[in-house]
Structures are given as structure tokens and as C-alpha cells.
Amino acid sequence: MATTQDAYELAKLLAEIEYPDSDGKPMAETDFQREYLIYSVSVLDLYFQNQPDVYVSGNILIYYEEGNSKACLSPDVFVVKNQEKRKRRSYKVWEEGEKYPNFVLEITSKSTVNEDQGSKKGLYAFWGVEEYFQYDPTADYLKPQLKGFRLIEGNYFPIPQVPLDQPNDFSLRSEVLGIDLCLKNQDLKFFEAGSGIQLLGLEETESARRAAELRAEQEAQRADRLAAKLRELGTDPEQL
């Protein structure tokens, strides 16, 4: 029978266990995987930026067994709903109200393809991850290049493809996120379900902002030139 002293010793032992913030592995195997990992996290982070109870992250360790620092996994991209949005060094499930990701996306590479389709897939199902997606940016390891699965009664079933305008292009709907993940000319893109509006990452958003500012500046310059020409002709542009 456990005593108070036993409980104290156990708590002390658990407190002394270290949970590293990194597994020592690189973020991604190649530039292809890294680019889409950063892009996907950025897109989802911006999309849910005004929802304080949606946590978006990627490439950080999820520890799922207290007292066992080896029981961890680092999904490329994941979303936890009904969870506080704040920065974390790692995600310890027992400190997070036993909440696991609702959505996971793995950017597949040569060294991860077997794990992504095997042990990780099984563990995510065990965790209760409602939707699991895989994307192969080089089109070398997955056929089709983008796959999605939905958890039904403890097992993953393929999310049906919706064909798009171009051959080999299609979309997969994430009901959890309300987002369509689309394969367009072999590129992964995100669109808001229903509206069809494309979701942009931080770099794309900044590029669009700069382009809009440039267009506005060019329009203002044209207007100034037109006004100057009208004045040369003796017409007050403000009277038009």
C-alpha cells in the first residue's frame, strides 16, 4: 500500500526527470521539407491568430508519458483546439490537460516516409488525432503526393479527393480546421473552406502588402501627373 512518503518520493523523482527541448535532429531533411514546414505553420498561425484558444505549432517535442523522457514525438505541423495560445519550449500532455493535437501534418521525406505511414500514424490514432495529413514536396515517396486521413472509431480512413480544374490537382477538406488542403501543380496550398479564399503565409502576406502599397503609390503618381497636365491646359482638376 502506497504511503505519503512513497508519493513524495515519486513526485520528487518525476520532478527531477529532464525533458529536453530538442531531440538534436535538424528541422528538416532538405530545403524542400523545411520550406513547406515553415510555410504551413505560418499559414495556420495567421489564420487562427485571433482565436486565443487555438494553439498552432510545429517541430517541437510532444511528451506524452510523464516520467518517460523518451516517450516523445515531434510532428512537423500540429493544431490543438480549445488550448491556450502561448509559446512553449515543448508540449507535455500531462501539463496541458491531457489534450492531444486535433490535426497533424507531416512533410514526408526519404528518412521519414516509413515512420509517417507506420508508427506515427498508429500513435496519432491512439492519441485520438482527428485528422492526419501527409505531403511529399518532392513527389518521390507518396502516391498521391498529398494524403489525408480522418479518425473514425479508432481507425484512419482516407479523406476523399475533390478534383480541381487542372489534371492531377485536387483538394482534401479538413473538417477540424475548416480548411481545404489543395495540391496545385504539385504545390501544397491552403484555402478557406466554403469561401475558397487562399490562405497566405507570413512571407506571402508581406509580399502582397508591399505589392498593394506599390500599386497605390503608382496610382497616386499617375493622378499627380494627370492633375499637372490639366493645370498646364488651364483646367483646375479639383473642379472636375
Side-chain angles (χ1 to χ4, degrees):
M1 180 175 180
T3 65
T4 302
Q5 182 64 27
D6 292 334
Y8 171 78
E9 293 296 334
L10 177 59
K12 182 180 178 181
L13 179 63
L14 291 176
E16 291 175 350
I17 294 174
E18 293 186 5
Y19 301 93
D21 296 335
S22 170
D23 57 8
K25 298 178 182 179
M27 177 186 294
E29 185 171 326
T30 70
D31 289 342
F32 297 103
Q33 285 79 30
R34 184 183 302 106
E35 176 185 345
Y36 282 98
L37 190 160
I38 294 172
Y39 163 71
S40 300
V41 172
S42 177
V43 167
L44 297 177
D45 203 28
L46 284 174
Y47 184 67
F48 291 108
Q49 63 182 327
N50 296 321
Q51 298 188 39
D53 61 345
V54 177
Y55 175 57
V56 176
S57 189
N59 198 46
I60 72 167
L61 290 170
I62 296 180
Y63 288 97
Y64 54 92
E65 184 179 319
E66 187 175 9
N68 183 3
S69 62
K70 296 185 181 301
C72 62
L73 204 59
S74 179
D76 288 334
V77 184
F78 67 92
V79 178
V80 190
K81 302 179 75 174
N82 301 312
Q83 187 63 294
E84 180 185 2
K85 185 194 302 292
R86 60 179 174 82
K87 294 187 181 302
R88 295 164 170 84
R89 294 182 180 275
S90 62
Y91 189 96
K92 302 180 182 70
V93 172
W94 59 92
E95 293 180 356
E96 303 286 352
E98 298 295 327
K99 292 181 180 177
Y100 288 89
N102 300 92
F103 169 96
V104 168
L105 166 65
E106 293 288 359
I107 311 299
T108 293
S109 67
K110 181 179 180 179
S111 66
T112 68
V113 60
N114 291 331
E115 187 180 12
D116 291 344
Q117 303 218 71
S119 59
K120 277 189 176 180
K121 188 177 180 181
L123 186 58
Y124 291 152
F126 179 73
W127 284 1
V129 177
E130 298 167 63
E131 292 177 341
Y132 175 42
F133 285 77
Q134 302 168 357
Y135 172 61
D136 173 11
T138 62
D140 292 329
Y141 314 110
L142 290 184
K143 305 296 180 188
Q145 193 176 346
L146 174 66
K147 294 184 177 184
F149 303 91
R150 187 166 292 121
L151 193 66
I152 300 175
E153 296 183 355
N155 293 299
Y156 279 125
F157 291 88
I159 296 173
Q161 297 180 7
V162 177
L164 300 177
D165 294 338
Q166 299 300 318
N168 301 319
D169 289 358
F170 61 87
S171 70
L172 301 175
R173 174 146 308 174
S174 167
E175 294 180 352
V176 168
L177 303 184
I179 290 174
D180 289 331
L181 285 76
C182 300
L183 188 69
K184 298 176 72 70
N185 194 28
Q186 295 193 327
D187 281 338
L188 174 64
K189 298 295 180 183
F190 296 79
F191 291 80
E192 184 176 44
S195 71
I197 297 173
Q198 183 174 350
L199 307 181
L200 305 179
L202 187 60
E203 185 175 332
E204 293 171 312
T205 301
E206 182 61 21
S207 178
R209 183 189 65 79
R210 289 196 299 267
E213 289 179 348
L214 179 60
R215 287 194 299 271
E217 183 179 344
Q218 291 171 339
E219 288 294 333
Q221 290 173 349
R222 280 195 289 269
D224 289 342
R225 289 196 296 269
L226 177 59
K229 187 65 175 179
L230 289 172
R231 290 189 184 96
E232 289 178 7
L233 298 173
T235 301
D236 184 354
E238 295 184 0
Q239 299 300 317
L240 295 178

